[in-house]
């Protein structure tokens, strides 16, 4: 070979050698300066190359020092060899893939994401090049995030009285908890799923319109809340909050709805308001009762004492006619005072819950007869005729004592506001399951305005009768309360100058229904 050709060949070999050395140097520098694990094996699983990161990690994990020519499979613990052989064989069969593996060390679990690629030389697979990246921090962060998500979800799901859902801008479900799913099933008998249009799931036109308005306000960027009752027979109150969902660019991408069952709280508030109203009514009633005791009781006692004193001081000088007149006044005053005291005592008992309620079968005509026997002397003094039209077969289911108080007050009231020579009639008829009783008089009557305020505690007024008889108005309040207690109703029909009809109902006695 000519000298110049030999020189050229040597030059080419030197350049090739230098190039290979340069390539190896550069690859080694790259692999050694990375934080990833890098290793390569041949088709017999023997090591071709490892960087220091992989060699150090391997020794730390398995106490084995790796050098070129070491069989990597046999350097692994027996339980790991099968899985790793399968992985290397996949790459040796010309497959590139990745996986995540965990390694248990004395410091805990280490997670590595491994990328395996075949080494192809002149169309022949001669080995496997692997890269392993430590993703322990990422994996722990993912686990912590997943745990927090699971904790959040568990917290949300554990709130059985809290409804939560989110929708996109087209009203499609993105998320909902089980409480919301149950409420939709209960309200609209639908099994909801993610992706469904929430408006299409609401079958009530009214509910759908209200819901759409709330969602649209949130989708326009408005956060708002409302309290709304649901249901009729079993009323439930929900406090709902609606808010927009913003992405990282502060664009509205949907809305959330959160609703809490506040039925217990709302009912407590309503009960508190009711108690407050009742307290005001009781205070008003108390004031009225004190007013009655202070004025309406004093007046008849003054009459009784005054005329009694007059009779005693002038017993020998007063004629029979005047004596009878004074005695009638004393008798009338004593009767009205006794009636007022009875009403006051019964009212006090009813307000304190001490009056007993024992309904039973009552022949209504017997009650009327007993009461008329007590009231006839007062009616006779005013020359008022008492008539009754009560069929013997009318039997009511009521408390006897309460019924006597009702009838006595209504008849006494009719006598009081009927002129001398007037007439009062008591009649009863059966209408369906109720007896309707009418106590009618041809007295002075009542204006329509006054009729509207009857039977109301706040409207109790002392009204004088046709002979200046005192009246507190408390008797009608008692009548309404006792009639209601017995399952009936009371009302008045009247016209000034033409008398009044006081009507009330009581349930008819039903021997089968009352057993």
């Amino acid at each position: 070979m000519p000298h110049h050709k030999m020189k050229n060949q040597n030059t080419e070999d030197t350049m090739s050698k230098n190039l290979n050395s340069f390539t190896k140097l550069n690859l080694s520098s790259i692999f050694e300066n990375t934080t990833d694990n890098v290793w390569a094996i041949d088709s017999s699983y023997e090591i071709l190359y490892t960087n220091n990161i992989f060699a150090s990690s391997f020794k730390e994990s398995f106490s084995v020092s790796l050098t070129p020519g070491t069989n990597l499979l046999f350097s692994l613990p027996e339980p790991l060899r099968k899985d790793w052989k399968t992985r290397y064989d996949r790459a040796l069969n010309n497959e590139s893939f990745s996986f995540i593996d965990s390694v248990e060390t004395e410091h805990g679990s280490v997670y590595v994401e491994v990328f395996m690629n075949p080494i192809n030389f002149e169309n022949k697979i001669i080995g496997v090049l692997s890269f392993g990246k430590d993703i322990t921090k990422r994996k722990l962060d993912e686990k912590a995030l997943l745990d927090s998500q699971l904790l959040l979800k568990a917290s949300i799901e554990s709130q059985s009285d809290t409804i939560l859902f989110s929708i996109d801008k087209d009203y499609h479900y993105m998320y909902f908890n089980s409480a919301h799913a149950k409420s939709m099933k209960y309200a609209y008998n639908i099994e909801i799923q993610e992706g469904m249009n929430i408006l299409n799931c609401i079958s009530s036109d009214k509910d759908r319109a209200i819901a759409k308005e709330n969602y649209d306000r949130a989708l326009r960027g408005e956060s708002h809340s409302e309290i709304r009752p649901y249901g009729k027979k079993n009323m439930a109150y929900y406090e709902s909050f609606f808010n927009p969902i913003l992405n990282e660019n502060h664009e509205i991408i949907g809305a959330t709805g959160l609703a809490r069952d506040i039925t217990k709280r709302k009912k407590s508030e309503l009960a508190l308001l009711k108690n407050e109203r009742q307290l005001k009514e009781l205070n008003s009633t108390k004031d009225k009762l004190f007013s009655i005791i202070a004025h309406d009781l004093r007046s008849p006692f003054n009459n009784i004492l005054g005329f009694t004193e007059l009779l005693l001081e002038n017993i020998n000088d007063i004629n029979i006619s005047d004596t009878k007149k004074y005695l009638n006044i004393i008798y009338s005053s004593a009767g009205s005072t006794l009636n007022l005291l009875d009403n006051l005592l019964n009212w006090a008992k009813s307000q304190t819950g001490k009056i007993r309620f024992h309904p039973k079968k009552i022949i209504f005509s017997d009650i009327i007869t007993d009461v008329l026997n007590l009231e006839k002397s007062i009616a006779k003094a005013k020359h008022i005729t008492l008539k009754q039209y009560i069929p013997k077969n009318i039997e009511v289911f009521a408390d006897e004592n309460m019924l006597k108080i009702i009838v006595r007050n209504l008849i006494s009231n009719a006598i009081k506001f009927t002129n001398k020579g007037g007439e009062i009639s008591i009649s009863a008829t059966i209408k369906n399951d109720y007896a309707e009783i009418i106590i009618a008089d041809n007295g002075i009557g009542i204006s329509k305005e006054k009729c509207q305020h009857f039977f109301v505690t706040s409207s109790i007024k002392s009204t004088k009768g046709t002979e200046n008889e005192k009246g507190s108005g408390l008797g009608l309040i008692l009548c309404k309360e006792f009639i209601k207690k017995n399952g009936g109703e009371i009302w008045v029909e009247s016209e000034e100058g033409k008398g009044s009809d006081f009507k009330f109902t009581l349930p008819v006695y039903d021997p089968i229904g009352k057993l």
Side-chain angles (χ1 to χ4, degrees):
M1 180 180 296
H3 179 71
H4 69 277
K5 289 186 177 180
M6 288 184 62
K7 186 177 180 179
N8 288 339
Q9 182 66 46
N10 289 334
T11 301
E12 289 177 1
D13 289 343
T14 300
M15 289 177 64
S16 176
K17 184 177 180 180
N18 289 337
L19 180 63
N20 288 334
S21 298
F22 177 77
T23 302
K24 288 178 180 178
L25 177 63
N26 275 285
L27 287 175
S28 178
S29 297
I30 292 170
F31 292 155
E32 290 300 336
N33 283 283
T34 183
T35 57
D36 295 341
N37 294 276
V38 183
W39 72 98
I41 60 170
D42 61 17
S43 57
S44 299
Y45 315 111
E46 293 180 355
I47 291 175
L48 294 174
Y49 170 81
T50 67
N51 69 350
N52 288 329
I53 296 292
F54 178 75
S56 299
S57 299
F58 198 92
K59 185 173 183 178
E60 182 180 354
S61 300
F62 307 115
S63 301
V64 176
S65 297
L66 298 177
T67 58
T70 303
N71 190 300
L72 191 56
L73 278 183
F74 290 122
S75 300
L76 290 169
E78 178 65 31
L80 301 178
R81 292 176 189 172
K82 183 177 179 181
D83 288 340
W84 279 94
K85 182 178 186 305
T86 300
R87 293 163 179 168
Y88 289 134
D89 288 347
R90 286 176 62 188
L92 290 171
N93 285 319
N94 202 26
E95 182 180 351
S96 295
F97 60 95
S98 65
F99 59 90
I100 295 175
D101 197 24
S102 64
V103 179
E104 296 297 328
T105 70
E106 60 182 5
H107 304 295
S109 298
V110 176
Y111 294 90
V112 180
E113 186 173 17
V114 180
F115 298 85
M116 283 191 168
N117 297 280
I119 301 174
N120 195 318
F121 182 74
E122 295 182 351
N123 296 323
K124 183 178 179 182
I125 307 300
I126 64 170
V128 178
L129 177 63
S130 302
F131 298 87
K133 186 175 185 65
D134 188 341
I135 60 168
T136 303
K137 185 178 183 305
R138 190 188 86 188
K139 202 70 178 174
L140 293 176
D141 289 344
E142 289 176 355
K143 185 177 184 301
L145 179 61
L146 180 60
D147 288 345
S148 66
Q149 289 174 339
L150 291 173
L151 179 61
L152 177 61
K153 185 175 181 181
S155 299
I156 293 172
E157 292 296 336
S158 67
Q159 302 297 316
S160 59
D161 63 343
T162 301
I163 289 171
L164 181 64
F165 66 90
S166 61
I167 57 172
D168 61 21
K169 295 184 73 173
D170 295 318
Y171 313 108
H172 295 126
Y173 278 116
M174 294 192 293
Y175 169 80
F176 55 83
N177 67 350
S178 59
H180 178 65
K182 289 177 181 177
S183 68
M184 293 295 285
K185 175 67 175 177
Y186 178 79
Y188 309 114
N189 194 30
I190 186 169
E191 300 281 356
I192 59 173
Q193 297 179 5
E194 288 186 10
M196 283 184 170
N197 187 307
I198 190 172
L199 295 179
N200 294 338
C201 297
I202 302 173
S203 57
S204 165
D205 293 340
K206 180 181 178 181
D207 289 351
R208 189 186 312 112
I210 294 173
K212 185 178 186 302
E213 180 183 356
N214 284 321
Y215 304 153
D216 288 346
R217 288 173 65 183
L219 290 170
R220 289 195 297 267
E222 180 184 350
S223 294
H224 64 286
S225 63
E226 68 166 12
I227 295 177
R228 184 178 169 221
Y230 290 84
K232 294 181 180 179
K233 185 177 180 181
N234 298 314
M235 182 73 74
Y237 291 87
Y238 280 87
E239 184 175 20
S240 303
F241 301 85
F242 302 92
N243 295 282
I245 301 174
L246 306 178
N247 63 12
E248 62 274 9
N249 298 320
H250 298 286
E251 298 169 333
I252 298 173
I253 60 171
T256 62
L258 185 148
R260 293 179 60 251
D261 186 345
I262 60 167
T263 304
K264 187 175 180 180
R265 188 190 87 189
K266 194 66 180 177
K267 286 184 176 180
S268 296
E269 290 175 358
L270 293 174
L272 187 62
L273 289 173
K274 182 180 178 182
N275 290 338
E276 187 177 341
R277 286 195 299 268
Q278 289 177 340
L279 183 60
K280 288 181 179 179
E281 290 176 1
L282 286 173
N283 283 332
S284 174
T285 302
K286 177 198 69 176
D287 295 339
K288 292 286 184 182
L289 292 179
F290 281 139
S291 175
I292 291 168
I293 293 170
H295 299 94
D296 296 346
L297 277 179
R298 285 179 62 87
S299 182
F301 274 121
N302 283 334
N303 284 339
I304 293 170
L305 290 172
F307 284 106
T308 303
E309 184 180 7
L310 182 63
L311 286 172
L312 288 173
E313 290 178 352
N314 301 284
I315 192 167
N316 296 320
D317 301 326
I318 300 176
N319 58 41
I320 296 297
S321 177
D322 287 337
T323 301
K324 186 176 180 181
K325 176 183 176 182
Y326 296 151
L327 287 174
N328 278 332
I329 294 172
I330 292 170
Y331 179 78
S332 177
S333 296
S336 62
T337 304
L338 179 61
N339 187 52
L340 180 57
L341 278 173
D342 283 342
N343 284 338
L344 284 169
L345 290 172
N346 287 320
W347 175 253
K349 286 181 180 179
S350 70
Q351 295 305 295
T352 55
K354 292 182 179 179
I355 194 164
R356 295 182 178 181
F357 178 63
H358 294 301
K360 64 178 183 178
K361 180 182 78 170
I362 296 173
I363 299 173
F364 190 68
S365 60
D366 292 346
I367 296 294
I368 295 297
T369 300
D370 290 345
V371 173
L372 289 181
N373 285 334
L374 295 172
E375 298 293 328
K376 66 182 179 181
S377 58
I378 299 174
K380 186 177 180 181
K382 292 183 72 173
H383 306 288
I384 293 173
T385 304
L386 298 175
K387 296 181 178 180
Q388 64 160 309
Y389 306 96
I390 310 295
K392 293 287 185 181
N393 64 338
I394 292 184
E395 297 176 342
V396 296
F397 187 72
D399 181 277
E400 184 174 354
N401 290 328
M402 289 185 181
L403 187 51
K404 285 182 177 180
I405 292 170
I406 294 165
V407 174
R408 188 178 72 244
N409 271 289
L410 292 177
I411 292 176
S412 176
N413 196 65
I415 293 171
K416 189 181 304 177
F417 296 103
T418 300
N419 291 309
K420 282 186 177 182
E423 182 178 296
I424 297 170
S425 65
I426 303 99
S427 60
T429 56
I430 299 295
K431 293 185 177 181
N432 297 323
D433 296 329
Y434 288 86
E436 182 178 287
I437 297 95
I438 304 173
I439 296 176
D441 64 67
N442 59 357
I444 59 176
I446 309 162
S447 68
K448 289 184 178 180
E449 184 181 354
K450 287 184 178 179
C451 285
Q452 293 175 355
H453 299 289
F454 265 27
F455 314 112
V456 180
T457 306
S458 59
S459 299
I460 294 177
K461 290 183 179 180
S462 179
T463 307
K464 291 183 178 181
T466 57
E467 295 292 315
N468 290 321
E469 302 100 321
K470 286 286 184 178
S472 65
L474 184 60
L476 293 178
I477 304 299
L478 271 176
C479 288
K480 179 183 178 181
E481 184 167 325
F482 288 169
I483 289 170
K484 184 178 179 181
K485 183 76 173 177
N486 283 276
E489 295 180 0
I490 185 171
W491 66 99
V492 60
E493 297 173 1
S494 184
E495 187 176 344
E496 283 187 282
K498 295 185 178 181
S500 304
D501 289 354
F502 280 83
K503 300 181 179 182
F504 68 96
T505 59
L506 289 173
V508 174
Y509 178 73
D510 177 7
I512 298 177
K514 307 306 183 229
L515 292 179

